[in-house]
Amino acid sequence: MLLEENQIAFHPEDGLIFDGVKDYSRQIAEMLGLGSDSELFQAGVRTVLDIGCGFGSFGAHLVSLKLMTLCIAAYEATGSQVQLALERGLPAMIGNFISRQLPYPSLSFDMVHCAQCGIVWDKKEGIFLIEIDRLLKPGGYFVLTSPTSKPQGSSTSMKKRNMLTPLEQYTEKICWSLIAQQDDTFIWQKTADAHCYSSNKKNDVPLCKEGYDAPYYQALVPCITGTSSKRWIPIQNRSSSSDLSSVELEVHGNPEDFFEDLQVWKLALKNYWSLLTPLIFSDHPKRPGDEDPLPPFNMVRNVMDMNAHYGGLNAAFLEERKSVWVMNVVPVRAHNTLPLILDRGFLGALHDWCEPFPTYPRTYDLLHANGLLSHLTSERCGLMELFIEMDRILRPE
């Protein structure tokens, strides 16, 4: 980090554990058989969960490649990774799964990344890896950079050894393939064959009961989820555009409501923007970059849609090419549309608005709450608690 006048600059070659973030990203792409990291999107990687993201430099680089990258890390009283990422204008939220599931449904992300993230993956009978399997889409990737988790030998020599490392044992049990390793970086791919879990002779990890998927901070479960879901679509088989195909949309039900929602928010955003323009543009840049942008500067970098429905507001921001990212929140008492939002390549989480949202104070520029109050039917909280929480989340002004 360099102090440049009154701003801290994060230079991409000053990676926390790599020679350079761009080189590291290119290495991952080449390990996947791609020519460069700019091909990750075409290869099916659109959403990335970055566990323990450090300064957020890797996530910042992926965002520049149009990949939606969400940083999660445990709460830290000082030196928070999540707070630092949010200050840089990057998506992040507090989270860890040492005992609880993360608040995302099964089959949520195309890639999960951990670079010395502090998790011992082969502890607790591999239950942390089972949670990653739950979060990964079919054919998705788990990228691990850690000198302490090194599988030993090539795939050929594996067959010759009687003893596998615990990490290798657990990944085989959950139908993952180690497809590449280079230096201290290893890439596993989740199977695209849902039948692998039941037919794998090495698999003593049972399937969860059909219909089980309650990811709002439930206890970690030692069983495999998502195999019977209609959303079991390998990332390599998806449409090349960022929009859902008609087949993918049918999985989620009512396409008419979906398209109506899209049109409503396109019009609403234009109205919002005309009202906000005198307030959110300034002659002073809030966003450091390689090149100084021409004024006026948009001071809104992130938006929380507190009742996101189908993610229509997020889609409208993209269509209007507004340089913001959106945290799409689906209340736990609302119809769970989060799988649809995530399948669109957006970011989001389930949340109970009677509880604090897992972020630090003063981290969001704009809150949007359409129809939210109808979900506050619980006796546990009221309007005052909600508005105090909104005040906590919002930045000054």
Side-chain angles (χ1 to χ4, degrees):
M1 295 185 292
L2 294 178
L3 187 63
E4 296 180 351
E5 296 181 357
N6 65 335
Q7 292 182 329
I8 295 173
F10 295 82
H11 289 270
E13 301 309 314
D14 296 335
L16 187 60
I17 60 168
F18 333 115
D19 294 333
V21 170
K22 291 181 180 177
D23 288 340
Y24 176 68
S25 178
R26 186 164 53 247
Q27 174 190 334
I28 290 174
E30 290 171 354
M31 291 170 72
L32 294 175
L34 305 175
S36 72
D37 52 7
S38 62
E39 297 176 15
L40 283 168
F41 188 92
Q42 287 79 6
V45 179
R46 301 175 190 176
T47 55
V48 179
L49 184 67
D50 193 8
I51 303 172
C53 55
F55 293 156
S57 296
F58 181 57
H61 178 65
L62 293 182
V63 167
S64 74
L65 299 176
K66 309 301 182 189
L67 305 182
M68 290 305 299
T69 305
L70 176 63
C71 162
I72 62 163
Y75 171 77
E76 299 165 280
T78 58
S80 162
Q81 301 170 75
V82 168
Q83 194 165 23
L84 191 57
L86 288 164
E87 288 297 326
R88 294 185 66 179
L90 303 171
M93 61 186 284
I94 299 168
N96 68 65
F97 48 86
I98 299 306
S99 61
R100 301 279 172 186
Q101 293 181 347
L102 291 170
Y104 321 116
S106 299
L107 317 180
S108 290
F109 297 95
D110 305 319
M111 178 181 284
V112 176
H113 173 259
C114 159
Q116 294 188 0
C117 60
I119 295 173
V120 184
W121 293 100
D122 52 12
K123 294 295 184 185
K124 294 190 177 182
E125 299 296 319
I127 200 166
F128 303 144
L129 291 170
I130 293 173
E131 171 67 354
I132 296 299
D133 183 86
R134 185 184 76 81
L135 295 172
L136 275 176
K137 291 179 179 292
Y141 303 101
F142 177 53
V143 181
L144 176 63
T145 296
S146 172
T148 60
S149 301
K150 188 169 185 177
Q152 299 170 356
S154 65
S155 57
T156 306
S157 63
M158 283 181 192
K159 299 174 183 176
K160 298 178 181 177
R161 298 196 325 266
N162 293 324
M163 294 295 293
L164 297 177
T165 66
L167 191 57
E168 290 172 280
Q169 289 177 337
Y170 291 131
T171 53
E172 284 191 3
K173 286 179 180 179
I174 57 176
C175 289
W176 289 7
S177 302
L178 179 62
I179 59 172
Q181 60 182 85
Q182 184 177 330
D183 302 325
D184 292 331
T185 298
F186 309 88
I187 301 180
W188 282 270
Q189 185 173 26
K190 176 177 174 173
T191 183
D193 178 12
H195 300 294
C196 175
Y197 297 97
S198 54
S199 61
N200 185 6
K201 294 179 181 177
K202 298 178 181 178
N203 179 22
D204 57 3
V205 182
L207 298 180
C208 296
K209 292 180 180 178
E210 190 167 345
Y212 174 83
D213 190 16
Y216 190 66
Y217 298 114
Q218 299 295 317
L220 292 173
V221 291
C223 59
I224 300 294
T225 59
T227 56
S228 60
S229 171
K230 293 180 181 178
R231 295 172 57 234
W232 187 277
I233 301 173
I235 63 172
Q236 294 79 8
N237 294 357
R238 290 186 311 202
S239 55
S240 57
S241 73
S242 57
D243 297 323
L244 293 180
S245 67
S246 56
V247 175
E248 292 168 323
L249 196 54
E250 285 291 341
V251 168
H252 297 280
N254 210 325
E256 288 184 12
D257 284 355
F258 174 82
F259 288 115
E260 183 181 338
D261 184 73
L262 190 61
Q263 296 305 315
V264 164
W265 292 115
K266 281 170 62 175
L267 294 173
L269 180 62
K270 290 179 180 178
N271 185 37
Y272 290 162
W273 217 249
S274 66
L275 294 170
L276 287 167
T277 295
L279 305 173
I280 64 174
F281 287 88
S282 165
D283 291 334
H284 303 286
K286 298 282 185 174
R287 184 200 314 262
D290 295 334
E291 298 177 2
D292 290 333
L294 295 173
F297 306 101
N298 170 17
M299 294 193 294
V300 173
R301 299 192 300 176
N302 62 8
V303 176
M304 179 184 287
D305 194 348
M306 301 173 71
N307 184 25
H309 201 41
Y310 291 124
L313 183 64
N314 194 155
F317 272 115
L318 285 177
E319 190 163 318
E320 292 294 316
R321 298 188 177 180
K322 305 298 184 189
S323 54
V324 303
W325 63 268
V326 180
M327 175 60 73
N328 295 283
V329 182
V330 175
V332 292
R333 291 177 184 82
H335 176 58
N336 186 8
T337 53
L338 188 55
L340 170 62
I341 290 169
L342 294 166
D343 286 353
R344 297 180 76 177
F346 303 160
L347 300 177
L350 287 173
H351 186 63
D352 182 346
W353 281 112
C354 286
E355 301 172 4
F357 189 82
T359 190
Y360 287 82
R362 302 174 297 281
T363 44
Y364 281 86
D365 301 326
L366 177 64
L367 299 183
H368 181 256
N370 178 63
L372 175 65
L373 301 185
S374 62
H375 299 298
L376 286 184
T377 56
S378 170
E379 296 178 358
R380 292 170 49 217
C381 61
L383 280 181
M384 182 56 70
E385 288 85 353
L386 177 65
F387 276 98
I388 288 172
E389 173 62 1
M390 292 166 70
D391 183 77
R392 183 186 75 88
I393 293 172
L394 274 173
R395 291 182 181 276
E397 299 188 11

